[in-house]
């Protein structure tokens, strides 16, 4: 199987390839938004004549994102990519794919997945562990299994933006996965004896690390590290997408909304308002709810459904430095409240500032909390609706922005982006879009990429189908 890349490396990515391509093991310690995935793909391209397949381990929440990135940066077809799911086992897994995408969590929770990946891994396999901080626990079952399977493969790579979230203790397992020869220790206990000092009072508590310069020198030939601040040639706006899939219950509700709002409507009545209603309903459903209006009575009912969008938000936040301020843009108040509740449960009361509604005094107070520094009332997250906060504000305190939901119009999106991309912003700004694959989110993202309006674009397609008088509307709707 021969494939090529369809995008070029950025200037700061090429040095990683130049430095590490001659090594069979390597670590890319690259900040979020600097292109770890694209850089790793380049290693695969250059080695494809030497390897039989690439097994890409990543957090379950990132599997769809990695799948999308491979499709975006290469001409690999769907047949070349095997995305592990709950049905994958040694009998059903494709042996003809090149890319295999596996959830890291499954390596501790599923013997079926472990057995399957074990059978797929040969001496000529390239094994990548994405977000390698997931294997920093040297005694964890997941870590032990990945080390054992990885030892069978000639080529191994780890990717992370946060290699030492808790100190140098995090390095041992990650380097051990690559090779025990890097640090020179075959066991954690010999590593700890030489580099870690434990508390006499609190067993297990590390109070000091020793000879860290020696560790850095040992790792240096195998690691490429870059921060966003060092990427002076990067565009000031850095874009990333995180993708996930609908649950079965969501898909059922999603299809119901399409039938009720559009397919059951007289084609002569299709106007921008009907399409806006449809798009709004579909966008709500991918976020876990639907303000459904009964077609017969006109009464509205809030329907809630299990979803994984908040899980994806958590995964994005895991990749952002702990002290960094973050803006989270929403379209609907329901999403704002869900997010604030989730952030409060995870990070504590008062961690999120809400910005919405007509109460100017309350909005100003919340904005002040977000802009505050190192005081008890300071908020790390600014959770706002684009309709309220997407215009006029200057929010240079943040250089991470998450679009949990998007507006349909490019001009509204651009306004929201530029709240923290203004005079006075000294840092590159990273924008992350949370996207539900095979959904209205894809259509919205395509419209935004073309600087258009999702509703107007769809209206033009409906008008074209209607002008042909040959049907085709059902196929058009099914593509939403």
């Amino acid at each position: 199987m021969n494939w090529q890349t369809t995008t070029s490396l950025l200037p700061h990515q090429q040095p990683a390839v130049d430095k590490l391509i001659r090594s069979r093991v390597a670590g890319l310690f690259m900040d979020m938004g600097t292109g770890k995935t694209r850089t790793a793909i380049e290693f695969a391209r250059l080695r494809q004549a030497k390897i039989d397949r690439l097994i890409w381990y990543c957090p379950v929440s990132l599997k769809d994102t990695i799948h999308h990135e491979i499709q975006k940066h290469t001409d690999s077809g769907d047949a070349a990519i095997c995305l592990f799911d709950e049905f994958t086992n040694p009998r059903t897994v494709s042996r003809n794919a090149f890319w295999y995408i596996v959830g890291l969590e499954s390596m501790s929770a599923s013997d079926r997945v472990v057995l399957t990946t074990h059978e797929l891994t040969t001496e000529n396999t390239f094994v990548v562990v994405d977000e390698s901080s997931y294997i920093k626990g040297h005694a964890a079952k997941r870590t032990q299994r990945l080390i054992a399977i990885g030892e069978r493969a000639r080529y191994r790579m780890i990717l992370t933006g946060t290699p030492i979230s808790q100190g140098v203790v995090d390095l041992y397992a990650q380097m051990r996965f690559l090779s025990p020869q890097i640090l020179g220790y075959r066991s954690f206990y010999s590593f700890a004896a030489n580099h870690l000092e434990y508390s006499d009072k609190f067993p297990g508590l590390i109070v000091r690390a020793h000879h860290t310069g020696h560790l850095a020198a040992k790792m240096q030939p195998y690691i490429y590290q870059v921060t966003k601040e060092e990427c002076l040639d990067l565009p000031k706006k850095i874009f990333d997408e995180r993708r996930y899939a609908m649950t079965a219950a969501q898909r059922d509700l999603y299809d119901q909304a399409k039938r009720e709002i559009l397919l059951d409507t007289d084609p002569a009545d299709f106007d921008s308002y009907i399409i806006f209603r449809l798009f709004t309903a579909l966008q709500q459903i991918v976020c876990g709810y639907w303000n459904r209006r009964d077609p017969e009575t006109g009464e509205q009912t809030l329907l809630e459904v299990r979803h994984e969008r908040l899980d994806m938000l958590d995964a994005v936040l895991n990749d952002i430095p702990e002290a960094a301020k973050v803006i989270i843009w929403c379209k609907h108040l329901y999403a704002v409240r869900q997010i604030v509740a989730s952030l409060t449960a995870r990070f504590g009361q008062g961690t999120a500032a809400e910005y919405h509604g007509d109460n100017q005094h309350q909005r100003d107070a919340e904005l002040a909390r977000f802009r505050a520094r190192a005081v008890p009332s300071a908020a790390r997250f600014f959770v706002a609706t684009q309709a309220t906060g997407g215009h006029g504000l200057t929010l240079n305190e943040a250089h991470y922005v998450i679009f949990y939901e998007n507006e349909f119009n490019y001009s509204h999106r651009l306004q929201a982006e530029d709240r923290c991309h203004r005079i006075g912003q000294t840092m590159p700004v990273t924008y992350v879009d949370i996207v539900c694959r095979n959904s209205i989110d894809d259509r919205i993202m395509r419209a935004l990429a073309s600087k258009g309006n999702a509703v107007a674009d769809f209206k033009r397609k409906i008008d074209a189908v209607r002008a042909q008088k040959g049907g085709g509307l059902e196929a058009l709707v099914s593509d939403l």
Side-chain angles (χ1 to χ4, degrees):
M1 180 179 297
N2 189 28
W3 54 271
Q4 296 297 323
T5 50
T6 56
T7 59
S8 300
L9 290 178
L10 294 173
H12 68 279
Q13 296 168 340
Q14 186 63 52
V17 179
D18 295 340
K19 176 182 179 180
L20 301 175
I21 190 60
R22 288 178 291 278
S23 175
R24 293 187 299 174
V25 299
L28 300 181
F29 291 176
M30 301 171 66
D31 272 2
M32 176 186 181
T34 57
K36 297 186 291 290
T37 303
R38 175 62 184 89
T39 308
I41 288 172
E42 189 68 12
F43 282 87
R45 182 186 73 82
L46 295 172
R47 290 171 174 164
Q48 61 179 305
K50 301 178 181 178
I51 59 180
D52 52 11
R53 58 181 59 93
L54 187 151
I55 303 179
W56 198 303
Y57 296 94
C58 65
V60 169
S61 60
L62 296 184
K63 288 197 301 180
D64 285 306
T65 299
I66 299 302
H67 182 271
H68 176 70
E69 289 293 297
I70 292 170
Q71 290 183 317
K72 181 171 73 173
H73 294 298
T74 78
D75 59 7
S76 300
D78 282 342
I81 307 173
C82 176
L83 191 66
F84 271 48
D85 58 25
E86 63 269 28
F87 303 110
T88 306
N89 62 55
R91 296 189 316 279
T92 62
V93 68
S94 169
R95 306 285 173 158
N96 299 319
F98 179 85
W99 310 90
Y100 293 81
I101 305 172
V102 185
L104 274 169
E105 296 90 335
S106 300
M107 296 303 290
S108 56
S110 173
D111 292 341
R112 167 182 54 81
V113 171
V114 173
L115 180 59
T116 305
T117 56
H118 183 271
E119 290 193 9
L120 287 172
T121 306
T122 71
E123 181 183 2
N124 296 320
T125 299
F126 188 177
V127 176
V128 173
V129 175
D130 202 343
E131 300 301 334
S132 59
S133 59
Y134 275 60
I135 62 167
K136 64 186 179 183
H138 71 95
K141 182 188 293 186
R142 175 192 308 155
T143 304
Q144 295 296 318
R145 287 176 166 180
L146 278 166
I147 288 175
I149 292 175
E151 285 179 338
R152 306 181 65 206
R154 175 181 291 267
Y155 300 102
R156 301 190 286 278
M157 177 174 281
I158 59 174
L159 316 179
T160 183
T162 54
I164 51 171
S165 59
Q166 299 182 57
V168 297
V169 65
D170 293 347
L171 291 173
Y172 173 77
Q174 296 176 75
M175 293 300 107
R176 178 65 181 82
F177 167 79
L178 292 180
S179 171
Q181 297 177 9
I182 294 177
L183 297 182
Y185 304 110
R186 294 201 65 89
S187 77
F188 175 77
Y189 304 101
S190 54
F191 167 82
N194 284 276
H195 298 285
L196 303 179
E197 182 179 337
Y198 288 88
S199 167
D200 294 330
K201 186 176 181 181
F202 303 102
L205 176 65
I206 299 169
V207 295
R208 197 170 292 107
H210 298 287
H211 312 302
T212 55
H214 174 74
L215 293 176
K218 287 278 192 178
M219 293 189 300
Q220 194 277 333
Y222 307 96
I223 299 298
Y224 176 76
Q225 187 166 14
V226 68
T227 65
K228 284 200 298 185
E229 291 78 6
E230 294 168 334
C231 298
L232 300 179
D233 50 3
L234 277 177
K236 291 183 179 179
K237 290 184 177 182
I238 303 167
F239 295 94
D240 197 8
E241 280 185 16
R242 298 297 176 90
R243 292 179 162 253
Y244 71 100
M246 273 190 251
T247 64
Q250 273 181 295
R251 180 60 67 181
D252 289 342
L253 202 58
Y254 193 89
D255 291 338
Q256 178 185 337
K258 288 195 289 186
R259 288 193 304 271
E260 286 186 3
I261 298 174
L262 200 54
L263 290 181
D264 292 342
T265 302
D266 188 328
D269 295 331
F270 290 157
D271 57 16
S272 295
Y273 171 70
I274 294 294
I275 298 169
F276 183 84
R277 272 190 58 211
L278 173 67
F279 279 26
T280 298
L282 299 184
Q283 189 178 46
Q284 289 177 351
I285 291 167
V286 298
C287 294
Y289 73 103
W290 179 19
N291 281 315
R292 178 180 177 268
R293 190 173 74 183
D294 189 286
E296 301 295 332
T297 67
E299 294 181 356
Q300 283 200 329
T301 305
L302 176 64
L303 304 178
E304 297 181 289
V305 62
R306 189 180 69 81
H307 67 102
E308 297 178 0
R309 207 172 185 95
L310 282 174
D311 295 335
M312 181 55 68
L313 175 63
D314 280 344
V316 173
L317 296 177
N318 286 339
D319 209 16
I320 294 176
E322 291 183 0
K325 297 260 188 178
V326 182
I327 299 169
I328 304 174
W329 290 117
C330 303
K331 187 176 179 183
H332 301 103
L333 186 56
Y334 179 95
V336 171
R337 289 172 173 162
Q338 265 205 331
I339 291 168
V340 169
S342 177
L343 294 175
T344 300
R346 178 176 174 181
F347 297 102
Q349 192 70 34
T351 193
E354 295 185 52
Y355 197 89
H356 55 79
D358 298 324
N359 189 324
Q360 184 68 48
H361 177 74
Q362 184 175 347
R363 291 207 308 265
D364 289 346
E366 290 295 277
L367 180 59
R369 287 204 313 114
F370 179 70
R371 288 175 170 165
R373 294 176 178 271
V375 297
S377 61
R380 180 188 171 199
F381 303 97
F382 186 80
V383 187
T385 59
Q386 291 184 51
T388 305
H391 300 264
L393 295 179
T394 295
L395 300 170
N396 285 343
E397 295 81 4
H399 52 276
Y400 289 92
V401 181
I402 300 170
F403 282 91
Y404 188 81
E405 298 169 295
N406 264 296
E407 291 280 357
F408 301 146
N409 194 319
Y410 173 73
S411 64
H412 296 163
R413 162 67 183 241
L414 192 60
Q415 283 285 338
E417 286 183 12
D418 284 347
R419 293 313 93 211
C420 58
H421 190 256
R422 309 166 69 80
I423 295 174
Q425 178 60 266
T426 59
M427 302 285 286
V429 181
T430 298
Y431 300 91
V432 182
D433 286 280
I434 296 180
V435 178
C436 180
R437 65 182 174 92
N438 299 327
S439 79
I440 189 64
D441 281 350
D442 287 311
R443 182 170 292 276
I444 294 171
M445 294 302 295
R446 289 196 297 269
L448 296 178
S450 64
K451 301 183 180 181
N453 182 309
V455 172
D457 290 351
F458 193 69
K459 176 67 162 55
R460 284 192 291 271
K461 287 182 171 62
I462 284 183
D463 290 343
V465 169
R466 191 161 47 187
Q468 293 173 1
K469 299 180 180 179
L473 178 62
E474 196 160 328
L476 184 62
V477 174
S478 68
D479 189 44
L480 285 174

